[in-house]
Amino acid sequence: MTMQTIQYEYAPGHFRTSEPTVYRPDMLQEGEMILNMGPQHPSTHGVLRLEVVTDGEIIVDVVPHLGYLHRCFEKHAQSLPFNQTIPFVDRLDYLAAMNCEHAFVMGVERMLGIQNDIPKRTEYIRVLVAELNRIAAHFVGIGTYALDIGAYTPFLWLMRDREHIQRLLEWVSGARMLYNYIWVGGLFYDLPVGFEERCREFITYLKPKLVELQQLVIENEIFVKRTANVGVLPLPVAINYGCTGPMLRGSGLRYDLRRVDGYSVYPELEFDIPIGEGKMGVVGDCWDRNNVRVLECHESIRIIEQCLDQLTGNHRRTRDYDPQAVVPKKIRPKAMDFYARAESAKGELGFFFRTDGKSDVPVRCKSRSCCFHNLSVIHEISRGAMLADLVAIIGSIDVVMGEVDR
């Protein structure tokens, strides 16, 4: 049996240099080389492949390659009714599924014009579970970042405390990570009896743990040396690349959609917006981004306490409260193009809808991923850095590949 040589014809233009690598050997300067990092590398935080061009130990360029976790979220959303899409929304940022649900559901409610009919208790429960999930998502980001740098103990401590949040949310929804709890027009169910008291106990337990985290990680001398003045993201660059969330606030801009858009009951709550101040290095470095996430956990605790006060006070549990009272039987918005957004744990998560007014299935559904935009700036903040610092830079971005690939 003879072997046949197969010749492939490549498309003209940039397709020639797109896959499997952008750089070819003949494009390199003397002393440069191409390294592949991922998609199975543990420090790439999922199935992310980085094509790294180095000159010795110095990074010349970094090209992220995506698509290893693509699950066709937008095609699914364009094939199903709005209410049946929520389980797929959970799988975008699967570490902060409540925040993803909140953004998607608010967009559909605004298209239907029922956003003002949602009971206040429902809104406070939504914010409560979203902020609990925000803390859990930040704990994964901070813990795995410390693990990337070389600190193992903080990861174990944060996973232990995150487990308490997972159990609370499982008690509410019946699911551990992918909840399908926030519905269009309401909730799957009211909070379980005794949830508010158990949540207060957890908050009392968590406050001193965050102080320990500050001392163990954020102020640790080795951690500071590995992250301060590394991966500096100037504010103009962050804005031009569409970075949001802790990435943008770490560069010094006090921009948070919970304040800017004032959705749900956030305008009624008191909380601050932490920003990077360059205390250990330069504004916008890896340390600043990680510190913003820790400070946001403190602010989320403040929000949770205020929600619990409302849920046990003015909007406490009553017999006539029905969390599904406003849930529509058929979701059929008018023909329109509509964009809705909310502040997820990683930044601005948005959904663009196009509807025809006839069907309960959208003509077009586009997800605006904050992780995708945050990751796109990696080559800007990695050029000129040491190869060993690339791991610290990736971890400081805190990407979730389920949302990048969608």
Side-chain angles (χ1 to χ4, degrees), residues 4-214:
Q4 294 181 348
T5 303
I6 302 176
Q7 294 182 348
Y8 294 94
E9 294 184 4
Y10 293 96
H14 64 279
F15 290 108
R16 292 177 179 173
T17 57
S18 62
E19 290 292 348
T21 59
V22 170
Y23 284 90
R24 301 187 308 272
D26 60 297
M27 299 168 63
L28 303 179
Q29 303 295 322
E30 185 177 354
E32 293 180 351
M33 60 180 174
I34 303 174
L35 295 177
N36 270 293
M37 191 172 173
Q40 283 82 32
H41 198 286
S43 68
T44 56
H45 292 251
V47 281
L48 169 66
R49 173 172 160 248
L50 297 176
E51 178 187 343
V52 187
V53 180
T54 65
D55 184 0
E57 289 291 318
I58 305 299
I59 296 173
V60 177
D61 198 8
V62 177
V63 182
H65 290 264
L66 315 175
Y68 293 89
L69 197 64
H70 186 44
R71 290 169 307 199
C72 303
F73 163 77
E74 293 168 359
K75 279 296 182 184
H76 279 130
Q78 291 160 202
S79 306
L80 295 169
F82 289 98
N83 58 330
Q84 294 183 24
T85 304
I86 296 175
F88 294 94
V89 177
D90 284 333
R91 288 158 173 80
L92 292 175
D93 182 357
Y94 42 78
L95 298 177
M98 289 292 191
N99 301 87
C100 299
E101 291 178 14
H102 201 188
F104 183 85
V105 163
M106 283 193 305
V108 179
E109 289 170 351
R110 289 173 187 171
M111 287 194 294
L112 294 172
I114 62 173
Q115 69 273 19
N116 296 325
D117 301 331
I118 309 300
K120 280 288 186 178
R121 179 172 174 83
T122 298
E123 292 285 13
Y124 277 108
I125 292 175
R126 287 179 175 184
V127 171
L128 172 67
V129 296
E131 293 304 317
L132 282 170
N133 215 174
R134 188 185 308 275
I135 296 176
H138 282 338
F139 277 7
V140 175
I142 300 164
T144 54
Y145 190 40
L147 193 62
D148 291 342
I149 301 299
Y152 195 66
T153 302
F155 173 75
L156 297 178
W157 286 12
L158 288 169
M159 291 302 102
R160 173 201 63 194
D161 295 337
R162 175 177 174 267
E163 190 65 27
H164 295 304
I165 300 178
Q166 297 295 96
R167 288 173 180 172
L168 284 172
L169 296 179
E170 184 177 4
W171 190 19
V172 169
S173 65
R176 177 177 166 79
M177 282 184 64
L178 308 171
Y179 306 108
N180 191 18
Y181 180 66
I182 301 177
W183 285 8
V184 177
L187 302 167
F188 163 66
Y189 204 70
D190 195 2
L191 294 177
V193 176
F195 182 88
E196 295 91 334
E197 293 75 14
R198 185 78 62 84
C199 193
R200 283 193 190 276
E201 292 176 5
F202 169 70
I203 294 301
T204 304
Y205 159 85
L206 187 61
K207 286 181 179 179
K209 300 301 179 185
L210 287 180
V211 177
E212 289 180 353
L213 174 65
Q214 193 83 22

Side-chain angles (χ1 to χ4, degrees), residues 126-402:
R126 287 179 175 184
V127 171
L128 172 67
V129 296
E131 293 304 317
L132 282 170
N133 215 174
R134 188 185 308 275
I135 296 176
H138 282 338
F139 277 7
V140 175
I142 300 164
T144 54
Y145 190 40
L147 193 62
D148 291 342
I149 301 299
Y152 195 66
T153 302
F155 173 75
L156 297 178
W157 286 12
L158 288 169
M159 291 302 102
R160 173 201 63 194
D161 295 337
R162 175 177 174 267
E163 190 65 27
H164 295 304
I165 300 178
Q166 297 295 96
R167 288 173 180 172
L168 284 172
L169 296 179
E170 184 177 4
W171 190 19
V172 169
S173 65
R176 177 177 166 79
M177 282 184 64
L178 308 171
Y179 306 108
N180 191 18
Y181 180 66
I182 301 177
W183 285 8
V184 177
L187 302 167
F188 163 66
Y189 204 70
D190 195 2
L191 294 177
V193 176
F195 182 88
E196 295 91 334
E197 293 75 14
R198 185 78 62 84
C199 193
R200 283 193 190 276
E201 292 176 5
F202 169 70
I203 294 301
T204 304
Y205 159 85
L206 187 61
K207 286 181 179 179
K209 300 301 179 185
L210 287 180
V211 177
E212 289 180 353
L213 174 65
Q214 193 83 22
Q215 298 169 345
L216 184 69
V217 179
I218 305 303
E219 299 172 2
N220 184 287
E221 184 178 354
I222 299 175
F223 184 84
V224 171
K225 288 184 177 180
R226 284 299 310 273
T227 57
N229 300 306
V230 174
V232 178
L233 176 60
L235 183 56
V237 177
I239 294 173
N240 290 339
Y241 275 83
C243 296
T244 52
M247 283 286 288
L248 180 62
R249 293 190 286 274
S251 296
L253 183 61
R254 209 177 297 275
Y255 182 88
D256 190 308
L257 294 179
R258 294 173 293 177
R259 279 280 183 252
V260 175
D261 283 1
Y263 59 89
S264 192
V265 292
Y266 282 111
E268 304 173 18
L269 304 173
E270 294 182 4
F271 60 98
D272 297 323
I273 309 299
I275 59 172
E277 300 175 355
K279 290 182 179 179
M280 297 296 180
V282 182
V283 174
D285 59 15
C286 291
W287 188 90
D288 263 351
R289 290 192 283 275
N290 197 64
N291 186 50
V292 164
R293 294 185 181 98
V294 176
L295 296 177
E296 283 188 4
C297 292
H298 289 280
E299 299 306 318
S300 291
I301 286 178
R302 290 180 59 190
I303 295 173
I304 290 169
E305 288 179 324
Q306 294 173 70
C307 289
L308 291 173
D309 290 339
Q310 292 290 338
L311 291 172
T312 55
N314 296 333
H315 305 289
R316 59 182 173 272
R317 188 189 315 271
T318 58
R319 288 186 177 274
D320 58 348
Y321 169 69
D322 181 5
Q324 298 183 18
V326 195
V327 175
K329 295 290 188 293
K330 194 78 168 178
I331 302 174
R332 189 175 291 144
K334 296 178 181 178
M336 67 177 82
D337 287 357
F338 191 83
Y339 178 74
R341 61 182 185 172
E343 188 71 30
S344 181
K346 310 293 190 294
E348 177 183 332
L349 176 63
F351 294 96
F352 168 79
F353 301 100
R354 174 169 291 169
T355 56
D356 58 8
K358 303 174 183 177
S359 172
D360 60 346
V361 178
V363 177
R364 180 78 174 96
C365 179
K366 173 74 171 67
S367 171
R368 192 269 185 202
S369 164
C370 42
C371 287
F372 182 86
H373 287 76
N374 292 345
L375 181 62
S376 67
V377 80
I378 187 170
H379 66 285
E380 292 279 0
I381 61 179
S382 299
R383 288 177 184 145
M386 300 289 287
L387 186 60
D389 290 332
L390 181 58
V391 173
I393 294 171
I394 298 169
S396 72
I397 298 175
D398 189 21
V399 293
V400 170
M401 294 308 297

